[in-house]
Amino acid sequence: MGKNKEELMQIADKFCLDGEKEQVEPYGSGHINDTYLLTCKIGDGKKNYILQRMNHEIFKDPAGLMENVVGVTTFLQKKIRENGGNPEREALNVIYTHTGESYYKAEDGTYWRMYKFVEDATTYDLVEKKEDFYESAVAFGHFQKLLEEYPAANLHETIPDFHNTIDRLAKFKAAVEKDACGRASAVQEEINFVLERADDCHILCDMLASGELPLRVTHNDTKLNNIMIDNESRKGICVIDLDTVMPGSALYDYGDSIRFGANTGAEDEKDLSKVSCDLDLFALYTKGFTEGCNGSLTEKEIRMLPMGAKLMTLECGMRFLTDYLEGDHYFKIHRPEHNLDRCRTQFCMVKDMEDKWGKLQEIVEQYI
Ligand code: ADP
Ligand code: GN1
Ligand code: MG
């Protein structure tokens, strides 16, 4: 249920804005929230904001989610200030409502928030320059390093079992079993692809449970369009989309970035001959991420990086396929088989990683 401009402007009125509201339009290519660019006029100039409707069907506790966002952004801003950076640009800045809340609940039960717009920076849906991918890796690694001292116990689990691949597999099997839309028989090949790799789904979960891998505060959704690249310096200036910052593994953040950014094709590419895991991009991201983490990754974590990449890609493909089987209620889709196309690119990436396994291991071993 999209809102019209007038309704959006009324929602924007609830927040402490500079200038006069002028324009509001849909913005970005996220799969979860409804994002709008709001432009205000100040004298001869303009000021931009990001207005977002939080998806409260997915994030069941928007208040807890915003508590996380305020906690994490305040923490990051302080660190950035101490390091001589610009906290207005290098972290998200929450705009509060006139009553001092970090979000607004509308009468129809929808939840809204506002951020300062990070100016002169861009998010990319595909790697345009290899150096950008390297810089995104440094920034995501650095983000994790900065959050090393964040009190993890203060974080709400915004989506329980978000990267619990065992649980994702169970939900996938339940969706196949139920076959709510009668789509399973036509995607048997994709279903089998997952089932053949069912044992793999346990690997990271088991290592976290046994303590072989450390639990850290992680971003958990590190795709390239969740980082703003500065238009001039081309550095990863600001990590955005903090909805899933929760305790997790460094391998989730590393793996999800590889899944999306090291793919030679788009996440929803229909022509699978364009989809593969680019070894140069894989190597560049590995270099940048380990540098950004600045020595904090354990030897085991480094050895497991290829597995992180493979499992995050398998898990995401499985999630797209689950959503397809359940009737596309989770991810936004823009064409009927969008989730199936997305699932196929992920599985194609997984297969390509498996074929290149020795090379992937060679690349990461340089950083031990
Ligand atoms: P979703 O959870 O739906 O992915 P995001 O928070 O990632 O939503 O926002 C969607 C897009 O909006 C981003 O990919 C980015 O292009 C843009 N965006 C979000 N926040 C900002 C911001 N503070 N400044 C500039 N652009 C932003
Ligand atoms: C979603 O919110 P967005 O578009 O950045 C999803 C990620 C998936 C990704 C796949 C909260 O990310 O987990 O990896 O789509 N976010 C949530 O593109 O489920
Ligand atoms: Mg996003």
Side-chain angles (χ1 to χ4, degrees):
M1 266 172 299
K3 297 243 182 258
N4 63 37
K5 283 200 175 172
E6 201 182 314
E7 290 168 318
L8 290 167
M9 288 301 199
Q10 280 168 10
I11 289 162
D13 269 337
K14 307 291 176 189
F15 293 85
C16 300
L17 303 173
D18 290 334
E20 298 235 335
K21 299 185 307 320
E22 203 175 50
Q23 220 188 332
V24 66
E25 57 194 44
Y27 195 74
S29 52
H31 294 340
I32 305 295
N33 297 305
D34 294 346
T35 305
Y36 301 90
L37 168 65
L38 173 74
T39 307
C40 293
K41 192 169 162 3
I42 307 183
D44 290 338
K46 287 192 193 307
K47 186 153 178 178
N48 294 318
Y49 294 93
I50 286 286
L51 171 65
Q52 265 182 339
R53 183 184 74 78
M54 290 180 263
N55 188 328
H56 70 278
E57 284 179 14
I58 288 178
F59 299 107
K60 310 269 188 226
D61 174 17
L65 186 159
M66 285 313 290
E67 229 177 276
N68 283 3
V69 170
V70 168
V72 168
T73 53
T74 310
F75 180 91
L76 291 172
Q77 285 156 11
K78 185 165 172 280
K79 289 262 178 196
I80 291 162
R81 209 173 290 117
E82 283 165 8
N83 296 340
N86 177 358
E88 301 266 320
R89 279 196 88 221
E90 295 170 32
L92 279 178
N93 283 253
V94 172
I95 303 289
Y96 289 82
T97 67
H98 295 293
T99 53
E101 310 287 338
S102 58
Y103 66 94
Y104 166 68
K105 184 177 180 188
E107 277 165 21
D108 64 357
T110 52
Y111 290 82
W112 298 81
R113 67 179 165 208
M114 189 84 75
Y115 289 125
K116 272 187 192 162
F117 188 87
V118 180
E119 299 287 352
D120 305 315
T122 307
T123 53
Y124 294 91
D125 288 324
L126 211 58
V127 173
E128 286 180 14
K129 291 190 180 159
K130 292 197 167 185
E131 299 75 28
D132 290 347
F133 193 47
Y134 165 77
E135 293 296 348
S136 79
V138 174
F140 277 129
H142 184 61
F143 179 85
Q144 188 167 117
K145 176 78 188 160
L146 282 180
L147 289 179
E148 221 172 24
E149 290 157 35
Y150 191 81
N154 291 358
L155 285 170
H156 299 268
E157 199 177 10
T158 56
I159 301 180
D161 292 314
F162 191 58
H163 283 310
N164 178 341
T165 315
I166 301 175
D167 186 67
R168 295 287 185 188
L169 177 67
K171 287 178 176 144
F172 163 75
K173 285 181 176 169
V176 174
E177 186 69 26
K178 191 166 179 200
D179 194 16
C181 303
R183 291 173 169 178
S185 63
V187 293
Q188 206 53 54
E189 203 181 314
E190 287 75 15
I191 292 171
N192 289 340
F193 188 91
V194 175
L195 298 180
E196 282 157 17
R197 288 160 183 79
D199 289 346
D200 291 351
C201 294
H202 291 253
I203 296 174
L204 292 188
C205 294
D206 290 354
M207 289 177 81
L208 278 164
S210 69
E212 266 183 285
L213 290 174
L215 202 62
R216 303 175 180 279
V217 174
T218 49
H219 183 281
N220 295 307
D221 188 3
T222 49
K223 60 180 177 180
L224 188 62
N225 64 20
N226 284 333
I227 193 154
M228 312 268 336
I229 306 278
D230 187 282
N231 293 343
E232 205 181 313
S233 71
R234 307 276 331 179
K235 300 270 183 218
I237 192 85
C238 182
V239 173
I240 61 169
D241 202 344
L242 305 178
D243 296 340
T244 51
V245 173
M246 287 182 281
S249 163
L251 300 174
Y252 300 161
D253 284 3
Y254 171 85
D256 198 55
S257 288
I258 297 289
R259 169 191 83 72
F260 188 87
N263 183 351
T264 48
E267 189 184 61
D268 59 355
E269 177 59 59
K270 277 169 160 300
D271 178 356
L272 293 181
S273 71
K274 292 186 181 156
V275 173
S276 67
C277 178
D278 185 308
L279 288 175
D280 286 346
L281 289 175
F282 182 94
L284 271 176
Y285 195 89
T286 307
K287 180 173 188 295
F289 192 74
T290 49
E291 285 170 8
C293 288
N294 198 16
S296 61
L297 296 180
T298 64
E299 181 182 331
K300 192 54 138 267
E301 282 178 311
I302 298 174
R303 282 198 197 284
M304 294 303 288
L305 290 173
M307 190 53 80
K310 175 176 147 169
L311 290 188
M312 284 299 96
T313 311
L314 179 65
E315 181 191 274
C316 194
M318 192 159 72
R319 291 174 62 198
F320 288 140
L321 187 53
T322 304
D323 200 32
Y324 179 70
L325 291 168
E326 291 177 345
D328 309 303
H329 62 87
Y330 187 96
F331 297 103
K332 283 186 184 165
I333 55 162
H334 307 290
R335 54 178 188 254
E337 302 214 319
H338 212 162
N339 272 320
L340 182 57
D341 293 338
R342 290 169 177 153
C343 151
R344 287 179 171 148
T345 60
Q346 302 309 292
F347 292 170
C348 194
M349 271 291 274
V350 169
K351 182 72 185 59
D352 197 44
M353 286 183 206
E354 288 171 347
D355 292 345
K356 292 172 176 164
W357 202 247
K359 293 210 175 81
L360 303 186
Q361 277 179 320
E362 242 173 64
I363 291 168
V364 307
E365 271 163 21
Q366 296 167 43
Y367 298 95
I368 292 173

